[in-house]
Structures are given as structure tokens and as C-alpha cells.
Amino acid sequence: MLSVSFWDLNTSKDMRRHLPVTLCTLLTLLCSVVKPKVTEEDLLLLSGDHDVPHCFSRNLETVICYWEAEEVLTEDWAGRGDVSYGFYYAYGKESEEECDISVQTSSRTLYVCEHDEVILFNDLNVTVRDKMTNRTLRSRKLELELYVILPPPHDIKVVWEQGPERFRVTWKPPELDMSFIFKYEVQFMSTEDLHQMGDPTPAPAPTPFPTLVNSPAPKHLTIIKEVKEVLLPPLKPGLLYQVRVRTSWKWEKPSIWGPWSEAVTFTSLKSAETIKFQCFTSDLSQICCKWDEKMVDAQFLQVHYRYAQESASSWQLCKNMIHPKECPCVFSARNDSTMFVKLNARLLDGKWGLYYKKPFMLNHVVLPPAPDLLVLHLPGNKLALNWSSPMPELRKYLIYQIRFSTDNEKSWTTLQVPADVHNKEISMVSDTSYTLQIRASPSQEEVQGFWSEWSTRITTKSSSGSVWVTPVIIVSLLILLAAGFCLPCIFPLFYRQLKDKLWPPLPNLHRVLDTFLAEIEKQYQPDSILYEKRLEEAAQSSCLEILCELTLTSERQPASRDYVQLAPPSYQNKERWPNLEPLGLNQGLGANDQLPCDLTNQTYLPAGWSVG
């Protein structure tokens, strides 16, 4: 016996009534999962195509054409919703073929036709008609090869090139048969460029930059090449960059560009000066590279080097660590090749960085050892400084600096010494302590490099200023005495002349007086023309100088006298001379009278001569 409840009947009726709605919902969900034939990216790439209908090919296997109702309906068709579209295509003068039309709804409603017949280098004629009236709504002729959306290149790599700021971008073309007629556009930008373009601030590395879909870039950031690699211009050091590439046909007529590839993020090399990264040679046979160990984590670093003759991929790891504390990386030097060095390290703050050293030749990184300074004292408070070349091979290319200090190294005076000079004299201040040092450097002309370390300090003191005075005086006196004793023996005539000039002889008074009297006697000879007998005149008084200081004894005799008694002269011709009586003293002094006690030496008394 079959029994059916009323509830079961009502349930079956409800299910049958809602079944169409459920199927439509499921179909909508399936359509949202299936990729649409025309994507938003396609619409953006074809936004410059203003002819209707729009057609393009993505893989050279199918052709897709689409349009919107608003693009094909004229004013008299406005508001009609019962339009039945028909799409027809033909290559050249061939007969038309109809394509099934599907409706795609997303941000806008599109009528899409897709067919598999692709013929390049032929005109494609497409037409949109109203099936009910067979009226042509839109038609156009196009060259399909100009509307091929080529896929972007793949396997994009950014490799550091020879130059310190240069990077090379390489890629592989799309896997299509006609890749030989492709051209590529490379776009690179840094965080600063993104800000200029109005893009949001990118997250720090290693998070990649935001994807840029067909966003315009400044012209200086875009490079169009027909090759499969490109060398980027010099980049700013230490910035985060991204690079991407897209593809297009290499036609004379403008064609559309395909989508951009995934952005590849990389960091430009940082300057070696930021971590004091330096490479040099002190023996012209090995290159030593050093850096600031206070900034770099020694456990996380790698140093690579290569020579110019080798390929860009032939970087060698620097493992030869001779004397690690002095030089953690050493490799062989070559004077016939440019050398490249890079350092990939993690700083103590946890940040990674790739640091570069600008390409260099062997004669550009010379760091000579410090010279040995020799100091010798010279007379006159002078110092003779001598040194030898620390690198004999570069003797004529090395210049020097000498510095000295006189105030406990608070300030230095530096002297420049030209190349190929290895000695110098300096004057010293008496009783002063000097500290001296020397260093060497290439002349920066044919040979370039760095200043060496300062040599070991040499301290010396100049002699006191009064020390030499006493020896000089003693030596001078000895020389004068020796000259005084030796001059009469060696040069007697010169000595007599010099003596006569310095100490003239005293005249003999007796001889002078006799000579004088003899001359007077000659004048009074009878046969002399000068003789004239004078008239007798009265006796003239004269003054007599008495030079005495008498001391009488008890017998009243003079104890001494200090004068000379003048006697009347005696003449040979007495007949012609008057008789002169002895001098008589006035004032009534007799022979036995005493001189007045008040007469002193140099007292003058009148005296007279009597002519007999």
C-alpha cells in the first residue's frame, strides 16, 4: 500500500520551482572560476585601439575580437535590448565566415568572438551586423601582426658588470617561432623613481616592489633594444632597484607592447668607502684587500676577484688569507690586466650589502712601506736627514713628506720632498727637542696609490746657544797670542811697520834740542844771508818754571830734587854770541837763601839774563 504524505508533495514542488535559479548560480560560479577570454590586462594594452571591433592575437594560434554595445549602436538603436549580433571575418578577398559570439560580463559587458584561423601578413576584414535586419553596425580592416600581444621574456637576470655601478640585464625571449623579429623594452627604477611616479612606497627588501602593470615611466628609465641583454647606465650606490622587460614586434609600423614581466629586484652596489674597503699592493706581486672590521661581521662575508681577460662569470673566491690580522684577503697581482674586486658581507647591524672596488690596474694601488729615517747632527744646530726608497723599483716615482714637532706633538710642520730626493737639511732652534717622522707616496702621475704609514718617531734635541761661546772665546785668544808670537818671526818688516803704526816711538828730547840749537847757530853765521845783527835791547825778563818740592834736612840741605838745572848753552863761536851771565833770581834771594816754602812745582818766577 503506497502512502504519500502531504509534506512530501509540497517539498517536491518547491525543489522543482527553485531548480533553474540554482543552476544559474552554479553556472555563474563556474564562469567566475574560468579565465575570461578578454582580461583586464588585454583591455589596458589595447586601450589605444580606437577602431571597432577590437581584435588581437595572444599566441599566434587564435584570434579574439570583442566590442561593447555602446561602441556599435547608433542613436536610433539606443534603448533597444533585443539586438542580435552577428560577427563575420575574412582574410583578403576570401569569403566571409561567421564566428559564434559569447557575452562576457565583468567590469563591463563585452561581446566576444574567438576563432582559430590565424594568417599573418594579410588584411583581416571584420564586420558586426544585426542578424534581424542584416544591417552592418561596424566593420574594419586591420593587420593582425600589429595587434599580437606577445608574452614577456622569462629567466630575467641582473648581473654586476665590469664597472662599479654597471649592471647587465639578460633574459630569454618568448618561446615563439618568430623570436628573431622581436624587440624588447627594459624598464628599471629605484625607490626614488617610484616616488616620482606616484607609486606607493615599496616594502624593504627582500619583499619585491609592487607590480607595475603598463605604468608609464620617465624616458630616461626606459631602454629599447633588439638584443637579448642590455647594460644599464651607472646606478646610484646602495639603492633598491627593480627591472622588468616586455616584448613587441619589430615592425616599421607601431605595434602594441605585450605585458611586463615579473619585476626583478636587486640592490645596487655600495661604495667601498662606506666600510673603508681598500685594495693595495706593497710589493708589486700581491694584492691585499682590507675593510673596517668594526663594521663588517667577519663570519658572514665573501670576497671575490677576477681579471679583465676573464668572463664576467669567472669570479674567484679569495681564500688565500696570509696573515689574517694584517690582510684577510690576498691574491696574485697582474700588471697586464685590470682587476675587479667585490665584497658581499653582512654588517654588524644585520644588513646585507654588496660592496665594490672600482676596477684598478697594478700601478694604481701602490701603498709603499714606511721609509727608514736616519738623523745626523751638523754644526750650527742643523740636522741632516737621510732615507732610502722603500720600493727600489719605484725609486723615481715616490715622493716624501717629513714632519717634525717641537711642542710634544701638539702641532706638526710638514715638508714636501720631490721624487728621487733622499736627503734634506733643516735648521734647529737651540735647546729645543724635536720629534721627526717620514712617509712615502707615489707621485700620482705614472704611478698612483696611497700614502704610507708614518715612520717610527725619532726624538732629538738641539744644543744650547751658550755652549759654543766659551770655546770660541778661548780659541780666539789662543789664535791672537799665537799670531802675536809668530808674526815678528815670520814677517819682521810687516811687524815693525805695524808696531810703528800702533805704537809710534817717543822722540829723544836731547837730540831734538841739540838739533834745534844747531839750526839756530847756523842762522847766526857771518856769511849767512839770514844773519842780521840786532840792536841791543834791554834785557827782557822771562819766566822760569821751578819744578821742585824741597824738604830740608836738619843740616838745611835739600833732601831731593826732581828738576833739571838748566845751564847756559855753550857755543862753539863764543865771539859772536853775547856773554850771558848766570841767571839771577829776583826778589833778593842770595846763594845761601832758601826758597820760599810756598813755592811748589810748576811755579813760575821772573828771571833775567845779563849780557856781559
Side-chain angles (χ1 to χ4, degrees), residues 37 67 84-88 98-103 110-114 128-129 131:
K37 294 180 180 180
W67 65 91
S84 178
Y85 295 107
F87 181 79
Y88 305 92
E98 185 177 1
C99 176
D100 296 334
I101 298 174
S102 61
V103 179
L110 300 177
Y111 296 89
V112 181
C113 170
E114 181 178 6
V128 180
R129 297 190 181 95
K131 281 190 175 183

Side-chain angles (χ1 to χ4, degrees), residues 25 71 86 92 133 148 193 206 262 270 308 407 513 535 539:
T25 303
E71 292 180 318
T133 61
V148 176
D193 300 324
E262 292 291 333
K270 298 180 180 180
D407 51 2
L513 184 58
L535 297 176

Side-chain angles (χ1 to χ4, degrees), residues 290-315:
K290 299 175 66 175
W291 48 85
D292 190 354
E293 296 181 353
K294 297 180 180 179
M295 301 179 63
V296 179
D297 190 346
Q299 297 181 354
F300 300 95
L301 63 88
Q302 286 183 334
V303 183
H304 293 83
Y305 68 94
R306 71 177 182 87
Y307 304 99
Q309 288 82 354
E310 300 175 354
S311 62
S313 60
S314 60
W315 289 95

Side-chain angles (χ1 to χ4, degrees), residues 108-171:
R108 46 187 173 174
T109 302
L110 300 177
Y111 296 89
V112 181
C113 170
E114 181 178 6
H115 59 90
D116 298 334
E117 189 175 356
V118 177
I119 301 177
L120 299 178
F121 310 107
N122 279 276
D123 293 337
L124 175 61
N125 301 305
V126 293
T127 305
V128 180
R129 297 190 181 95
D130 181 9
K131 281 190 175 183
M132 295 183 63
T133 61
N134 201 26
R135 179 179 176 181
T136 300
L137 301 177
R138 284 288 188 273
S139 64
R140 65 174 298 190
K141 179 190 298 184
L142 55 90
E143 299 177 36
L144 185 59
E145 59 271 8
L146 299 180
Y147 296 91
V148 176
I149 301 178
L150 297 173
H154 62 282
D155 197 15
I156 300 174
K157 296 180 180 180
V158 181
V159 181
W160 179 47
E161 258 300 321
Q162 298 180 7
E165 304 93 358
R166 308 300 292 271
F167 286 83
R168 185 175 297 276
V169 181
T170 62
W171 60 86

